[in-house]
Amino acid sequence: MRSMPGAVAVITDSTACLPVPVAERWGIGVVQVQLQVGEQFDEENRYDREEIIDQLRAGTPVKTAPPEVAAFFWAFQDAASKGASAIVSIHISGRMSETVNAAREAAQQVNVPVHVLDSGTTGMSLGFAATSAAKVAAAGGQATRVIDAAERRFRGSREILYVDTLEFLRRGGRIGAAQAFLGSAFSIKPLLTLKNGEVAPLTRVPGQRRALNKLVDLAVECAGDQDVEIAITRFGPDERDLEIGGRLRARLPHMVDSTLVDASMILGAHLGPGAIGITVSPV
């Protein structure tokens, strides 16, 4: 579904992990965050996912950078040229990336109102917020209603993350309060969340199997008896995500929908190969 002239346009960034068909259906503009792999520097969608995973495992330096201000400017200009009455631009936490600041700078250079939102989160918590906002916009909602839809969604959503190791978060400087878990034995697996806009520790569990069981338990606890959408996010092919999905469906009678998505390569660069996340998002 494309935005109609006069509608509010919704823009997000690639850390939202939105599948391309979803973004296209709801007319969501996605500005690409950037990756540097060795000497190569480009937008993340220009890289091959499996190559990035191999490079990470090989120890090749992989760094991330926010989009250029110009990338946001042209995304905003494109929306304006198609007749958008206003733009709502929703992005990864400002404590994790300068992306939102690049969007704010570009917003000052266009001739339609641009409302830039710091979601305080990332991943499908951001993706669900952008989708909800775009649905309200497609129904003819004004900017205030579109903003309300996005804020309600990203404030209510929760990210629960399993990582095989904290090393990639440490390398990228995104470890936040989870640094308290550094130095744990190799067999101790950390479970993390996002709190106050940055990575925060939840608990440590001995062994991968127990950690993944705990990941499911925490998601079920977080959902409670609410109607929720669930997203399972993976970085790299993994049969474990199918098992996790089946267990969540069996234990969450109020689950409205579930989806399996590939993590943004930006997030994968910080979480590392084998990372699995569950997003619990009340609807």
Side-chain angles (χ1 to χ4, degrees), residues 232 234 237-249 259-260 276:
I232 301 168
R234 63 185 181 182
D238 199 323
E239 293 183 356
R240 298 174 302 179
D241 44 43
L242 299 176
E243 177 188 348
I244 289 170
R247 293 172 62 189
L248 288 171
R249 284 190 293 274
T259 186
L260 173 64
I276 297 176

Side-chain angles (χ1 to χ4, degrees), residues 10-18 28-34 44 66-67 72 89-93 97-100 103 117-119 121-123 126-127 130 264 266-267:
V10 174
I11 307 287
T12 189
D13 62 71
S14 55
T15 71
C17 303
L18 280 177
I28 302 168
V30 180
V31 176
Q32 298 294 314
V33 183
Q34 301 179 97
E44 74 158 300
F72 279 112
S89 196
I90 316 163
H91 299 293
I92 181 175
S93 167
S97 171
E98 289 294 316
T99 296
V100 72
L117 307 182
D118 181 342
S119 72
T121 187
T122 190
L126 175 56
S264 157
I266 298 297
L267 300 184

Side-chain angles (χ1 to χ4, degrees), residues 69 72-80 87 103-115:
V69 173
F72 279 112
F73 172 80
W74 289 114
F76 297 159
Q77 282 289 90
D78 182 58
I87 298 167
R104 286 173 177 149
E105 185 174 342
Q108 298 173 12
Q109 302 174 30
V110 294
N111 293 323
V112 297
V114 181
H115 308 271

Side-chain angles (χ1 to χ4, degrees), residues 204-220:
R204 291 173 287 190
V205 183
Q208 182 187 93
R209 171 57 58 180
R210 289 183 181 179
L212 293 173
N213 289 342
K214 185 65 173 178
L215 182 76
V216 172
D217 290 343
L218 288 170
V220 170

Side-chain angles (χ1 to χ4, degrees), residues 169-190:
L169 280 165
R170 185 196 65 78
R171 288 182 197 172
R174 302 301 198 279
I175 196 164
Q179 64 185 337
F181 283 177
L182 284 173
S184 297
F186 180 75
S187 61
I188 301 297
K189 300 299 183 181

Side-chain angles (χ1 to χ4, degrees), residues 110-155:
V110 294
N111 293 323
V112 297
V114 181
H115 308 271
V116 179
L117 307 182
D118 181 342
S119 72
T121 187
T122 190
M124 279 300 292
S125 289
L126 175 56
F128 282 136
T131 304
S132 288
K135 289 178 179 178
V136 172
Q142 297 301 304
T144 53
R145 289 191 56 214
V146 174
I147 292 167
D148 287 346
E151 290 182 338
R152 180 181 65 82
R153 205 70 190 273
F154 63 62
R155 288 174 179 169

